[in-house]
Amino acid sequence: MSGLLDSYARPAGPEVIDHLRQVARPLAGAKVVHVNSTATGGGVAEILRRLVPLMRELGIDASWELIDGDAEFFATTKTFHNALQGNKVDASRRALENYERINRENAARLRPALEAADFVFIHDPQPAALLRNQQGERHGRWIWRCHIDVSRPHRPIWKYLREFVRAYDASVFSLAAFAQPLPHPQYLIHPSIDPISEKNVLLPAHEVESVLDRFGLDRSRPILLQVSRFDRFKDPVGVIRAYHLVKPHAPVQLVLAGGTASDDPEGEDVLAEVRDAAAGDPDIHILLLPSDAHRDINALQRGATLVLQKSLREGFGLTVTEALWKGRPVIGGDTGGITLQVVDRHTGFLVSTPEGAAFRIRYLLSRPDLIAEMGKKGRKLVRENFLLTRHLREYMTLMLSLRHGAQDRLEIA
Amino acid sequence: MAPFQFMDCAVTTLALGKSAQNLREFRDRIAEVPPQSISHHFYEALLRPVFDDPEYRNDFAVWARRQLHDNLLAERLGAIDPIEFESLETLRQEVIDIIEDRLAEATFVPWAASGHEFHFQRSQMVVLDTGLRASTPADLAARVPRLSTGSIFYHFVEGRRRPPIKVDDFSVWLAGWGPELEPTREAIAAIDYHLWSLTEMRTLIGAALHRLPRDSGGRSAGRGHDDDRTRDDERVHGEERAHGDERARGNEAPR
């Protein structure tokens, strides 16, 4: 039978698919419900869109439910998101009451599905209060999956949310640094990229060339690329500084590709700073791309000579994963999940300053063979560690582990 | 001779919620974490790809080198072969002794930068019977290139912790096939699990089994999936190389 799962055999390796089938076998028929707040846009929806059908193909009875909410609810959860990432923002009592009311209403609407489930995965803070509204004895195991960098949360908001999260059977964080003191097991599952998605699928050379031409890039000269929101933590101005330091030595072009960040009030300010720093240089291309410009991003990453992610602070940094998957070395900030992916001197270089980035750009541009060698290592690193297939396997291992009482070693005949 | 039973394993990682920022805290935490955490940082570290110098194949040594910038300590910790210790407690004591020796001789306590603390973890392993069996060494040779990395970890790394201690499962089973397979066993035994990633171990074990004597069931290993995948990668890189080369040529163009 040829299905979605088989289409992962080529990028991930056929033995990886065999392994998934092995791990899934004891979970056959298990009812799994994922709950989040949006069907489109954002990394969580992107992952669930593929993860749920893959689970179903593996014989798991997986489904995906959405919670409804009003504008005030989503404004509050946006505040939660910012606060968990460390911004000192608070929510009013009225906003919190509305958050709890919306969760109560959704819990009532989703009750049949949630009560029948063997495993309930609640993604991020929006539906975190659903569990409190479950009535009677709990049948399934509830897991809170946090996709946010909560390494230094704004304490008042975390303390509020913690009261909902404490009741779960387990939580899942993306990095060890994000784990919080909680009275249940805290699993660590890194994010992943989908190798067959529009953003990561192999593109024909002519398509890559046509995208580079469309954005006015000179294909005969080196292209440096950073893909990220216009956010100070991504240090786009530092990237321009690095470009200026390289420019006298190599005929480089710089592409800063990011979203319009309409929900981020700081985004416009940062964009203005970036334009100011670029000072009309025709070799600096500031591209404001819509959130669904996946193939364009894919082509830019494939067309780039080197990719930068010079973040000052980073959650995991999936743009790094995407670039490595395309065989591009990454010069990345020495922070967060970038340090798991940029293995210094092997898949790229970790840097702390624009000067450091500039030096490494010059170093690599003068060594095309090293660029190719690092590219191969980067692709291997991603294939073995950061593809969706690994993400799926870890979810299933977690379920097996929880079902059998979270033992350190579990043997299944 | 009982057939070889192929097992598979999947590992998931848990945070302990304990971290260390300097060498003294590091010692104190190592002394108090559960033994499963010591095991995780030595053995499950091997599940990650190998890019660095091979002496740093455990998490403690890597942190000492990368974050404390203490090469001397990293080399001493990196030289520990966990399989040489009779228990996780004696292994733990060895780590503590090395750190205390370093604290005694150092003129200051090394610190990691903020955001680069050591986070202690542990793992849970789910072991599964694949249902696959090898009746002859040739069957084994044919199957190994198709094994998952979880299976390689279970049989070639984790197997050394089960009786008979320090010997991988493949070698144990091949020992029952008589002295003519001794060269094959020696070739497998010569693969140092400390030096290779799991995919590389799979390729090396497959290569060792490829040289089976003819009377053990023939040379059936053939070309494995790694080869297929390498070709696929080469195809991808070949296509991408066209762009890369353009960039490289561009870099060399006169300004």
Side-chain angles (χ1 to χ4, degrees):
Chain A
M1 187 183 73
S2 178
L4 181 60
L5 199 55
D6 289 328
S7 53
Y8 287 86
R10 179 164 282 265
E15 72 282 359
V16 169
I17 308 306
D18 291 344
H19 191 43
L20 287 175
R21 292 197 167 104
Q22 288 290 341
V23 179
R25 201 162 292 146
L27 289 165
K31 287 188 186 303
V32 177
V33 180
H34 290 271
V35 185
N36 81 322
S37 62
T38 174
T40 55
V44 179
E46 221 171 276
I47 289 169
L48 290 179
R49 196 172 307 125
R50 279 285 161 74
L51 205 64
V52 170
L54 284 171
M55 280 187 172
R56 295 187 69 84
E57 200 171 319
L58 285 164
I60 297 168
D61 184 3
S63 60
W64 177 10
E65 302 286 352
L66 297 173
I67 57 164
D68 300 325
D70 56 19
E72 187 186 5
F73 173 80
F74 287 110
T76 305
T77 58
K78 177 75 182 169
T79 301
F80 289 171
H81 189 107
N82 290 335
L84 291 178
Q85 293 204 101
N87 292 355
K88 293 191 176 359
V89 286
D90 289 299
S92 67
R93 176 177 292 274
R94 182 197 135 114
L96 298 179
E97 283 170 0
N98 186 57
Y99 168 77
E100 292 174 30
R101 179 180 63 79
I102 296 281
N103 265 275
R104 255 194 319 275
E105 290 170 5
N106 279 288
R109 184 173 59 81
L110 298 174
R111 183 158 295 133
L114 298 178
E115 283 186 354
D118 297 302
F119 299 95
V120 179
F121 284 88
I122 298 292
H123 294 265
D124 282 340
Q126 294 92 335
L130 285 180
L131 176 58
R132 176 168 287 189
N133 295 293
Q134 290 305 297
Q135 294 168 345
E137 196 175 331
R138 198 150 98 207
H139 156 66
R141 287 162 179 87
W142 284 59
I143 301 113
W144 185 58
R145 196 342 171 181
C146 180
H147 297 267
I148 303 169
D149 172 354
V150 285
S151 51
R152 280 171 278 182
H154 178 49
R155 298 290 301 167
I157 294 292
W158 168 242
K159 280 159 72 179
Y160 171 76
L161 287 170
R162 187 180 60 191
E163 291 312 302
F164 299 112
V165 172
R166 290 171 65 89
Y168 281 71
D169 296 294
S171 48
V172 182
F173 294 94
S174 294
L175 289 174
F178 300 169
Q180 295 292 326
L182 287 165
H184 57 230
Q186 295 178 66
Y187 290 84
L188 302 174
I189 299 183
H190 300 318
S192 60
I193 60 163
D194 182 353
I196 65 168
S197 68
E198 292 281 279
K199 206 188 273 181
N200 297 303
V201 73
L202 183 63
L203 298 179
H206 66 82
E207 183 173 348
V208 174
E209 289 164 6
S210 125
V211 170
L212 298 183
D213 292 347
R214 176 152 50 87
F215 288 124
L217 292 158
D218 177 354
R219 287 190 272 124
S220 68
R221 291 191 287 136
I223 295 172
L224 310 174
L225 170 71
Q226 175 157 304
V227 178
S228 66
R229 286 179 291 113
F230 291 98
D231 177 327
R232 288 198 179 86
F233 284 130
K234 311 293 181 189
D235 199 19
V237 174
V239 172
I240 292 176
R241 168 85 184 130
Y243 158 86
H244 283 141
L245 291 169
V246 173
K247 191 70 174 173
H249 305 279
V252 290
Q253 306 159 86
L254 173 64
V255 180
L256 292 169
T260 48
S262 58
D263 61 342
D264 179 2
E266 257 191 19
E268 288 300 319
D269 295 344
V270 177
L271 184 56
E273 288 168 22
V274 168
R275 286 190 166 127
D276 191 43
D281 184 333
D283 277 338
I284 300 179
H285 301 257
I286 299 164
L287 307 180
L288 296 177
L289 301 176
S291 61
D292 60 352
H294 300 316
R295 275 186 100 87
D296 283 351
I297 295 285
N298 186 344
L300 287 168
Q301 288 167 328
R302 290 180 189 280
T305 316
L306 297 173
V307 171
L308 292 104
Q309 190 58 57
K310 218 205 80 50
S311 304
L312 304 172
R313 190 166 165 201
E314 188 63 73
F316 187 75
L318 280 174
T319 51
V320 172
T321 330
E322 290 162 12
L324 294 176
W325 178 243
K326 287 147 195 154
R328 296 294 170 267
V330 175
I331 296 169
D334 188 8
T335 183
I338 297 176
T339 60
L340 289 178
Q341 304 181 71
V342 177
V343 184
D344 214 12
R345 299 173 184 276
H346 294 277
T347 63
F349 288 102
L350 292 170
V351 297
S352 302
T353 59
E355 291 79 4
F359 177 73
R360 289 309 182 187
I361 292 167
R362 289 176 56 195
Y363 180 88
L364 281 174
L365 287 179
S366 63
R367 291 168 175 79
D369 290 348
L370 186 56
I371 290 179
E373 189 188 324
M374 283 184 161
K376 279 188 181 174
K377 285 185 175 178
R379 187 171 164 85
K380 178 173 182 283
L381 178 84
V382 175
R383 188 176 61 220
E384 292 182 8
N385 295 275
F386 301 120
L387 293 185
L388 185 67
T389 40
R390 188 271 311 152
H391 204 154
L392 172 57
R393 186 194 72 219
E394 293 199 78
Y395 272 134
M396 295 193 297
T397 312
L398 177 158
M399 289 191 276
L400 284 173
S401 170
L402 280 179
R403 176 186 269 182
H404 293 88
Q407 299 166 33
D408 291 319
R409 187 186 172 91
L410 171 67
E411 303 217 3
I412 297 174
Chain B
M1 182 76 185
F4 186 91
Q5 186 178 349
F6 289 101
M7 306 295 282
D8 205 340
C9 75
V11 172
T12 186
T13 306
L14 293 98
L16 284 184
K18 292 179 189 295
S19 60
Q21 190 156 15
N22 63 47
L23 190 54
R24 201 165 276 150
E25 281 181 3
F26 194 43
R27 175 203 56 194
D28 293 347
R29 298 286 176 275
I30 287 172
E32 69 188 31
V33 293
Q36 296 91 330
S37 181
I38 305 292
S39 170
H40 172 87
H41 292 295
F42 272 98
Y43 288 102
E44 278 76 27
L46 296 171
L47 285 163
R48 283 168 231 140
V50 183
F51 289 122
D52 265 320
D53 297 334
E55 63 263 40
Y56 303 132
R57 286 308 308 280
N58 66 69
D59 291 341
F60 300 144
V62 170
W63 189 69
R65 169 71 186 88
R66 290 194 191 157
Q67 308 306 339
L68 296 180
H69 306 293
D70 188 335
N71 291 0
L72 194 151
L73 176 64
E75 286 178 14
R76 288 176 182 165
L77 291 172
I80 297 174
D81 184 349
I83 211 74
E84 296 300 326
F85 293 82
E86 62 186 31
S87 71
L88 289 170
E89 288 309 326
T90 54
L91 174 59
R92 183 206 305 268
Q93 193 55 52
E94 175 70 6
V95 175
I96 291 171
D97 285 346
I98 288 173
I99 294 173
E100 287 188 337
D101 288 349
R102 187 65 185 135
L103 282 167
E105 67 192 19
T107 52
F108 64 94
V109 176
W111 282 69
S114 180
H116 294 271
E117 297 86 354
F118 188 93
H119 297 282
F120 287 88
Q121 300 166 24
R122 69 182 175 92
S123 30
Q124 291 176 342
M125 180 185 286
V126 177
V127 179
L128 306 131
D129 185 347
T130 64
L132 299 169
R133 304 287 183 268
S135 302
T136 65
D139 288 347
L140 183 71
R143 179 60 60 181
V144 161
R146 294 183 60 96
L147 292 181
S148 72
T149 51
S151 195
I152 295 291
F153 179 76
Y154 180 84
H155 290 300
F156 198 67
V157 179
E158 225 260 343
R160 293 160 200 260
R161 300 171 70 185
R162 299 188 296 272
I165 298 292
K166 299 184 188 178
V167 190
D168 66 274
D169 293 348
F170 302 125
S171 297
V172 171
W173 188 73
L174 288 170
W177 287 85
E180 66 270 26
L181 286 187
E182 196 53 33
T184 306
R185 290 184 61 216
E186 282 175 5
I188 292 175
I191 301 165
D192 188 336
Y193 75 96
H194 248 118
L195 305 184
W196 306 100
S197 72
L198 292 165
T199 49
E200 288 164 335
M201 284 181 218
R202 178 174 58 200
T203 303
L204 292 168
I205 298 163
L209 287 166
H210 201 65
R211 295 189 292 271
L212 285 171
R214 286 189 182 281
D215 59 359
S216 65
R219 294 161 193 264
S220 60
R223 195 165 53 75
H225 284 265
D226 278 353
D227 300 324
D228 290 339
R229 207 167 49 197
T230 302
R231 282 200 314 180
D232 183 40
D233 277 357
E234 281 170 359
R235 184 179 63 78
V236 170
H237 278 283
E239 189 167 331
E240 293 180 346
R241 203 173 295 129
H243 297 292
D245 288 349
E246 270 178 18
R247 301 287 86 75
R249 280 200 303 277
N251 183 46
E252 288 158 10
R255 268 156 268 161

